Amino acid sequence: MTVSPTPRLALPLLESAQAQKEMYHNEALALLDIATQAAVVAAMVNVPPTAPSLGQCWIIGAAPQGAWAGQTRKLTGWTEGGWRFVSPRDGMRVWVEADQALALYSGGEWYQGRTYGRLFIEGRQVVGPRQPNVAEPTGGTTVDAEARRAISAVVQMLRQHGLIGVD
């Protein structure tokens, strides 16, 4: 009977009465070290560094070379046993030290500099989908009514997003 790896992170599992259990156990720990609370030196890198330090990780780019060939868009980390690779899953977020930002894996691609989700403060959603533009006042020198409508529209949007209170 062959035991398949774990379904989410593809960690190696032990078979009953398996010899060399420490090899499988250590391999699983090495992969967990890369994938759990993931942080990388840089993202979308195609050429492995010549002198990586133990524990350093990267997100591999779309055209990997050398020891990374064939490992497109995977997480990789340098271990005592050499390079280890982790296939990302949709929703995985990784801290990219070089950019001081998170990268998100979705639909087979890594995205950086984007924020997803909703922002709640004290149980109330304060940021939501972008609303239509508020028209600027136009007309002659006296635009009091138009200015009041524009200001009112801005105030309504701020209330709708929960950024200011409702009277």
Side-chain angles (χ1 to χ4, degrees):
M1 175 177 109
T2 302
V3 177
S4 299
T6 63
R8 207 171 64 81
L9 294 177
L11 300 173
L13 296 174
L14 297 175
E15 295 182 33
S16 344
Q18 183 173 23
Q20 301 177 329
K21 291 179 183 176
E22 70 281 354
M23 290 177 58
Y24 286 90
H25 177 79
N26 291 346
E27 181 69 14
L29 290 178
L31 294 173
L32 272 172
D33 191 45
I34 293 167
T36 305
Q37 296 294 323
V40 298
V41 173
M44 308 319 295
V45 178
N46 288 307
V47 179
T50 55
S53 296
L54 284 176
Q56 284 186 315
C57 299
W58 288 264
I59 295 175
I60 300 175
Q65 300 172 19
W68 292 356
Q71 303 294 336
T72 302
R73 294 184 181 84
K74 290 185 180 180
L75 283 175
T76 187
W78 182 248
T79 68
E80 288 182 3
W83 292 109
R84 297 289 187 268
F85 302 96
V86 175
S87 296
R89 302 284 298 200
D90 276 356
M92 181 179 245
R93 286 179 168 81
V94 175
W95 180 252
V96 181
E97 294 172 12
D99 301 328
Q100 293 292 293
L102 287 170
L104 169 74
Y105 188 79
S106 179
E109 297 290 333
W110 285 101
Y111 296 96
Q112 293 177 262
R114 296 183 183 182
T115 300
Y116 293 88
R118 300 180 216 164
L119 176 61
F120 286 80
I121 296 177
E122 296 178 358
R124 182 180 168 108
Q125 185 176 351
V126 295
V127 178
R130 179 173 275 181
Q131 299 295 314
N133 189 23
V134 175
E136 293 189 30
T138 59
T141 57
T142 305
V143 291
D144 187 57
E146 291 178 42
R148 286 180 186 275
R149 278 194 299 275
I151 292 168
S152 178
V154 169
V155 169
Q156 287 173 3
M157 287 297 150
L158 293 172
R159 283 188 184 124
Q160 192 173 24
H161 283 284
L163 298 174
I164 61 173
V166 179
D167 293 338

